[in-house]
Amino acid sequence: MSGRFWSRRGWVILAETFVLALMVGGEAQGQNTDYSKVQIKVTKVSGNIYMLEGEGGNIAASVGEDGIVIVDDQFAPLAEKIQAALKDLKITDKPVRFVINTHYHGDHTGGNEPFANTGSTVIAQDNVRKRLETGGTAGNGGSLKMEMKAAPKAALPVITFEHDVTVHLNGEDIRALHFPAGHTDGDAVIFFPKNNVVHMGDDFVRYGFPFIDVASGGSVQGMIDAMEKASAMLPANVKVIPGHGALSNLDDVREFVKMLKETSAAVQKALDEHKTLEQMKQEKILEPWKKWSGGFIDSDKFIETLYNSLTGSKGQFMKHN
Ligand SMILES: [Zn+2]
C-alpha cells in the first residue's frame, strides 16, 4: 500500500481493497486484488536490513548468515513471492526462521499460515494471538467496521510475549517492544539497533489520517505515546519503516505525531463545548488538517475515530499491561 496508495484516482478502489483485505483477515482474498500481478519490491535500508513492499503492510527483513527474520508477512498468496524475493538477494540459502507480527490485522499477518507451514516460527504480542484466534470486529468505533474471521491454528503465533522479546540473529539483537492501546492493543515496534532501523507497525503510516482500531483496543493517545516513546529511544538518523508507505525518518514521525496531537485537541475542545459528533462533522473541525484526509480515513472518519477514542468508546477491550 505505498506508491499506488497516493494516486488520487486509485484512492477509492485501493481503500476498498484495504478494507476488504482487513475483513477477510488474509484468508479468502481475491475478489478485488489479483495477487498474481503483485510484485515484491525490495529496497536495501541499511546493512543487512531490507524493506519489502507488495500488497499490504511493509515488511522488514534481516537477511544474513544465520538466516532470515521478517517483520510482518502481508497476504497468504504472496508468501512464495516474498520467499523468492529474499532468496534472490543471494545472501543466504537459509529460510525465514522467524516472523514477527507488529499487530493482528490481516494485511500484516495474512502470510503467517504459509510461512509457518514452511518452517518459520511466528512471534507476536499476547493480544495478537488472542485476536487472531477469536476473530471479532475491527473498526473506528463508528462507521468503519470490519469483521475479522478467526485465523486457522497454523496462523497463530507460537511464541508470544507480554512486554518485549529479543531475537538474536545475524549479529543483531532484534527487539520487539509492546506499546499498549495505539493502533490496536497488541502493537509492537521492532528495533534493529546495530543497523539503526526501526519498523513502527501501523502506529506510524503514510497514507494520511491513520486507521486507529478503537474496536480492538486502539486509542489516539496510545498511538501518540507509542510514537513519542519509541522516537525518544532512537538515534536522530534512524531509518524508519512505516506500517504503510515510503521509508521515512524521525522528522516524518514528528510531523505525524504533531497532527495527531492537534487534531485530538480540536476534537477535545469541541467535546468540552458539548458539541455532538454530527456538529463536529458539519462544522468540518478538521479542515486545517485536510491534507491528511484520504480515501480510507477521510476527515469525517477521523473525527469519529477521535471522538470514540477520547470519549472512551473503545469497543471490546482486552486485558494487557
Ligand atoms: Zn493495521
Side-chain angles (χ1 to χ4, degrees), residues 18 22 102-108 183-184 187 201-203 205 207 211 213 244:
F18 187 35
L22 282 168
T102 59
H103 62 290
Y104 86 103
H105 289 150
D107 54 330
H108 299 257
H183 176 61
T184 69
D187 305 329
D202 279 4
D203 271 335
V205 295
Y207 56 70
F211 170 42
D213 190 349
H244 296 269

Side-chain angles (χ1 to χ4, degrees), residues 60 62 66-72 95-101 115 119-123 159 167-169 174:
S62 164
D66 300 334
I68 300 171
V69 184
I70 62 173
V71 176
D72 286 346
V96 174
R97 293 176 60 182
F98 299 97
V99 175
I100 307 174
N101 294 147
F115 274 99
S120 310
T121 300
V122 180
I123 304 174
I159 296 177
V167 177
H168 304 271
L169 217 75
I174 302 163

Side-chain angles (χ1 to χ4, degrees), residues 101-105 109 124-135 156-157 159-163 178-182 184-188 216-218 316-321:
N101 294 147
T102 59
H103 62 290
Y104 86 103
H105 289 150
T109 60
Q125 206 274 337
D126 295 339
N127 290 335
V128 173
R129 183 179 160 104
K130 285 184 200 162
R131 291 196 179 278
L132 283 173
E133 197 168 23
T134 58
L156 301 179
I159 296 177
T160 65
F161 59 93
E162 184 175 355
H163 182 258
H178 174 49
F179 288 92
T184 69
D185 62 5
D187 305 329
S216 303
Q316 296 165 302
F317 202 64
M318 284 202 181
K319 182 194 165 291
H320 60 76
N321 290 304

